[in-house]
Amino acid sequence: MTLELRSINKRFGDRDVLRNLDLSVADGECVALLGPSGCGKSTALRLIAGLDDPDQGSISINGENVVAIPAERRRVGMVFQSYALFPHLNVRKNLELGLRIRGSRAAERDERISNILEVLQLQNQAEQLPSQLSGGQRQRVALARALLRDPLVYLLDEPMSNLDAQLREELRPELKRLMIGGSQPVVYVTHDQQEAMALADRIALMRNGRIEQIGTPQELYHRPETVVVAQFIGRPQMNLLKPQNGVMVGIRPEDIRLDQQGVSCRLLSREWHGASQMLLVESERGPLRIVCAGDQTISEQIQVNWERSDEHQFDLDSGRRLSD
Amino acid sequence: MALIFGWPLLRYAWLSGHADSVLTGLVPVANGGANWLRLLSDQRFWVDALQTARFGVVSVGIELILAMAIALLLDQRWRGRGAVRALTLMPWALPTTMMALGWRWIFNTPYGPIEQLAGSLGAGPLNLLSAPSLTWLVTVLADVWKTTPFIALILLAGLQTIPDDLYGAFRLEGGTSVQALRRITLPLLTPYILLSLLFRLAQAFGVFDLIQVLTGGGPAGSTESLALYAYLNAMRFLDFGYSATVMLGGFVLLMALIGLGALILRLSGLIRPLQT
Ligand SMILES: Nc1ncnc2c1ncn2[C@@H]1O[C@H](COP(=O)(O)OP(=O)(O)O)[C@@H](O)[C@H]1O
Ligand SMILES: [Mg+2]
């Protein structure tokens, strides 16, 4: 385990932003911090980077406690949500600045920069200012800068949130190729569950400064520990049936199938997505979202069913999963 | 716009080509370039031009450095910062004449606090307002006191356009905060520095009320500025044609000074951040 956070607490004024946060990330592992905005994801990254100090708790990299080490000597490669490129320097100088400060020789600098520009296909942008680049190019410059840092840890703060959906999908494999699965731990912050599922080995789902659940994407999907996790992971969202006897039952839209012997429902609306379609129906147990094959013919009155074993049961008061 | 700004200038230009004084019965009479020829050989004009430039360059220089320090301080997060920000602007909000009268009293011989202090230390009367080699420093001091807050405010506005993440990114690249000042803050602040430089230099070149009230141009003309000299020509000697010439001459010199500064900046490559 090369990155380890233990019982981290952080307050801003009278606001608890992080509460008792524990996290460990192994070499080459990518852990996504997933959660709604304002839940403390960026703060966690800034603490790891040394840009803010925790009120309590320890952070260690390769077994060494780094809390007392200032950010400039911590060796983390970070990609900021805003990219934080230096606006007065062209791409080459943006990349060069850190190398210069860290005392690398001119010849070595030039070689590393021309290498990285090639890897990221930025050769033609080398002399351009950040303001002259497209969003995707800026993001790649930010990646390049983090790569050149030779970091012990990679920290990525919503690196794709400023890009359009198509570009995001194109860049995911690139990110995997360059940063994830190397020898460093990667902490990837996002509020997009799909992105977290696609990139991370494990997902830490955060809410109100706490980790609600941490586990592989499969664990979070198949065995969410709380209603919040169940609702956050998987699209379309999990259905929650009308509670009975203090128990709330959840069933995923993709676990529901059409079945003549099932409960009958009235069709409210229908979205066709090509390979699949999403139905919204009204049943005696409340409204349900259903995902079924795109070529299925659907009538106004349908019958649906699901396996008992696909149900997720939660305690109505605490929202916690009831053991099956 | 061009008309509003250009009109007075054109009017002066026209007037500077005319004799318009008691001798002509205050009626403008064209006199060719006589005013301008007189200006070239007018020792008092050149002495005043040098004194004005000295006043402008020295006070604006000190103001910039002080204002930079204040702005950097006010840009940090600390308790009570808001109140201090408002307070620093006070000197600037005070009318110049009132402020100048205040300084005149402070430096008054023998009753002002400076002389009292010097006296009690046995340093004898300093006569700072009647020592031709020192009095101009008192005018600089008064100007610095009054306008530093204003520049600090402009620079502060500039500092606040620099996103925090840039400093974060710079630190993660291995840079210290002192290095950040040179590599990030100064280059990104350059447009604001140049703006206040230009603005203040132009203002300092036209300095009038501060000097009129504080020293009246004395002692022995050692603090007389071009504006004061032009005013004298118009109001005391009633020579409006020549007064306009002095005014314009000063303007031309200011433009030359600014042009020279711009050239130096351009050559040293400092101006590049402006062009992005
Ligand atoms: N420097 C700061 N001063 C005061 N409050 C802050 C500061 N940084 C973050 N916060 C607060 O902490 C909370 C978590 O912020 P952040 O970590 O940026 O959330 P996220 O990245 O998950 O959207 C927010 O409510 C934010 O307003
Ligand atoms: Mg954030």
Side-chain angles (χ1 to χ4, degrees):
Chain A
M1 293 292 171
T2 53
L3 173 65
E4 192 140 10
L5 279 68
R6 279 229 198 95
S7 12
I8 296 287
N9 282 284
K10 178 68 183 173
R11 295 172 75 97
F12 282 119
D14 55 0
R15 232 195 106 119
D16 285 305
V17 175
L18 293 177
R19 313 176 205 209
N20 231 350
L21 191 84
D22 288 305
L23 182 72
S24 43
V25 188
D27 285 339
E29 189 189 24
C30 174
V31 170
L33 295 183
L34 174 66
S37 92
C39 71
K41 307 180 298 289
S42 297
T43 304
L45 283 199
R46 291 177 59 85
L47 294 183
I48 300 171
L51 297 174
D52 277 317
D53 296 319
D55 297 331
Q56 276 153 37
S58 73
I59 301 170
S60 57
I61 299 177
N62 282 335
E64 183 193 7
N65 190 342
V66 295
V67 170
I69 299 179
E72 52 268 32
R73 288 198 281 112
R74 240 182 240 197
R75 275 184 72 186
V76 300
M78 181 152 169
V79 176
F80 290 79
Q81 186 172 4
S82 61
Y83 306 141
L85 303 179
F86 307 119
H88 55 300
L89 302 177
N90 67 24
V91 171
R92 182 183 301 284
K93 293 206 167 119
N94 256 283
L95 299 179
E96 209 174 50
L97 185 59
L99 293 175
R100 239 177 226 282
I101 290 173
R102 299 192 294 275
S104 112
R105 296 182 185 289
E108 186 204 335
R109 266 199 326 254
D110 290 347
E111 194 195 320
R112 294 196 61 189
I113 289 174
S114 63
N115 265 339
I116 203 97
L117 288 175
E118 198 183 314
V119 170
L120 288 161
Q121 291 156 32
L122 286 165
Q123 300 101 314
N124 298 329
Q125 279 72 42
E127 313 306 324
Q128 289 180 358
L129 289 167
S131 58
Q132 296 168 299
L133 303 178
S134 70
Q137 289 168 338
R138 276 179 218 175
Q139 201 243 20
R140 295 213 296 277
V141 178
L143 290 182
R145 187 171 66 183
L147 287 164
L148 286 174
R149 182 70 178 94
D150 301 315
L152 301 172
V153 183
Y154 282 115
L155 305 175
L156 302 150
D157 194 354
E158 312 211 19
M160 311 253 213
S161 63
N162 292 323
L163 305 176
D164 60 53
Q166 195 189 339
L167 203 53
R168 261 185 250 181
E169 274 176 30
E170 285 172 20
L171 281 167
R172 268 186 222 154
E174 186 148 1
L175 208 59
K176 270 197 163 152
R177 173 171 69 99
L178 293 168
M179 282 187 182
I180 301 176
S183 53
Q184 298 88 350
V186 179
V187 183
Y188 189 101
V189 162
T190 178
H191 64 257
D192 178 348
Q193 56 101 29
Q194 202 188 356
E195 203 168 282
M197 304 258 254
L199 288 170
D201 300 307
R202 284 189 300 149
I203 296 175
L205 202 146
M206 287 182 65
R207 195 167 71 110
N208 295 334
R210 276 193 186 129
I211 292 183
E212 188 97 359
Q213 183 176 355
I214 181 164
T216 63
Q218 290 78 7
E219 282 165 2
L220 265 67
Y221 178 81
H222 291 299
R223 215 171 176 290
E225 287 300 331
T226 65
V227 175
V228 174
V229 177
Q231 295 257 287
F232 212 94
I233 302 281
R235 287 288 174 279
Q237 272 191 342
M238 179 187 280
N239 296 297
L240 293 177
L241 308 179
K242 278 182 192 153
Q244 288 172 333
N245 310 324
V247 175
M248 194 156 29
V249 172
I251 181 76
R252 294 208 179 271
E254 51 276 31
D255 289 337
I256 302 180
R257 57 191 153 74
L258 301 179
D259 179 352
Q260 301 293 326
Q261 268 79 56
V263 235
S264 68
C265 308
R266 191 165 57 84
L267 184 70
L268 294 179
S269 74
R270 179 177 168 194
E271 274 176 28
W272 192 71
H273 298 145
S276 68
Q277 53 184 326
M278 195 197 48
L279 313 176
L280 184 63
V281 303
E282 181 65 44
S283 78
E284 58 183 27
R285 305 194 63 180
L288 294 175
R289 286 174 293 271
I290 301 168
V291 173
C292 61
D295 53 8
Q296 181 106 39
T297 48
I298 303 292
S299 56
E300 284 297 304
Q301 286 292 331
I302 54 172
Q303 288 78 41
V304 301
N305 212 343
W306 59 82
E307 301 295 331
R308 271 296 134 96
S309 60
D310 286 335
E311 284 186 354
H312 303 259
Q313 300 199 338
F314 302 99
D315 182 74
L316 182 59
D317 296 326
S318 66
R320 303 204 69 77
R321 185 181 192 87
L322 298 168
S323 49
D324 333 283
Chain B
M1 284 296 269
L3 196 74
I4 296 172
F5 288 118
W7 173 245
L9 215 57
L10 282 179
R11 166 86 190 150
Y12 279 128
W14 179 82
L15 207 55
S16 74
H18 292 71
D20 180 9
S21 67
V22 266
L23 296 179
T24 64
L26 297 184
V27 176
V29 177
N31 66 352
N35 283 335
W36 287 98
L37 279 178
R38 178 177 156 199
L39 190 77
L40 286 179
S41 56
D42 182 355
Q43 271 236 311
R44 187 160 173 183
F45 171 81
W46 292 107
V47 168
D48 284 359
L50 272 181
Q51 284 172 183
T52 309
R54 177 181 65 179
F55 169 82
V57 170
V58 173
S59 47
V60 173
I62 297 176
E63 282 159 21
L64 261 179
I65 292 167
L66 279 181
M68 188 72 180
I70 293 173
L72 284 172
L73 209 66
L74 289 179
D75 194 41
Q76 309 296 314
R77 288 202 185 93
W78 38 275
R79 287 166 65 105
R81 170 177 74 160
V84 174
R85 265 190 205 180
L87 272 178
T88 37
L89 259 188
M90 284 248 303
W92 180 72
L94 219 60
T96 308
T97 40
M98 246 172 83
M99 186 245 356
L101 277 174
W103 283 107
R104 206 165 100 173
W105 174 73
I106 288 172
F107 284 99
N108 179 282
T109 310
Y111 301 111
I114 300 275
E115 290 292 0
Q116 299 273 329
L117 187 70
S120 68
L121 292 176
L126 300 171
N127 292 315
L128 285 177
L129 284 181
S130 45
S133 58
L134 289 178
T135 307
W136 73 276
L137 285 171
V138 176
T139 63
V140 165
L141 177 69
D143 194 62
V144 167
W145 186 80
K146 181 172 167 61
T147 37
T148 301
F150 181 68
I151 303 183
L153 202 71
I154 294 182
L155 297 185
L156 182 61
L159 283 177
Q160 290 180 339
T161 64
I162 305 177
D164 271 352
D165 277 356
L166 288 191
Y167 293 109
F170 185 76
R171 286 188 67 195
L172 295 188
E173 286 291 279
T176 63
S177 31
V178 177
Q179 286 172 314
L181 192 67
R182 192 169 86 74
R183 302 272 196 176
I184 309 288
T185 314
L186 280 181
L188 291 177
L189 213 54
T190 306
Y192 295 85
I193 295 175
L194 291 184
L195 179 80
S196 34
L197 197 70
L198 199 72
F199 190 77
R200 280 293 304 136
L201 216 51
Q203 219 178 23
F205 241 74
V207 62
F208 177 73
D209 42 3
L210 172 80
I211 290 178
Q212 172 78 340
V213 175
L214 191 55
T215 67
S222 66
T223 59
E224 186 169 281
S225 69
L226 284 176
L228 218 63
Y229 185 41
Y231 173 81
L232 235 56
N233 271 298
M235 292 305 160
R236 188 159 321 153
F237 312 141
L238 292 177
D239 188 342
F240 294 99
Y242 190 57
S243 167
T245 315
V246 169
M247 207 95 90
L248 264 186
F251 183 71
V252 169
L253 289 180
L254 172 66
M255 288 298 129
L257 189 69
I258 289 172
L260 187 73
L263 191 73
I264 293 171
L265 280 178
R266 187 171 287 271
L267 290 182
S268 65
L270 257 173
I271 209 163
R272 220 174 308 125
L274 261 188
Q275 296 163 336
T276 63

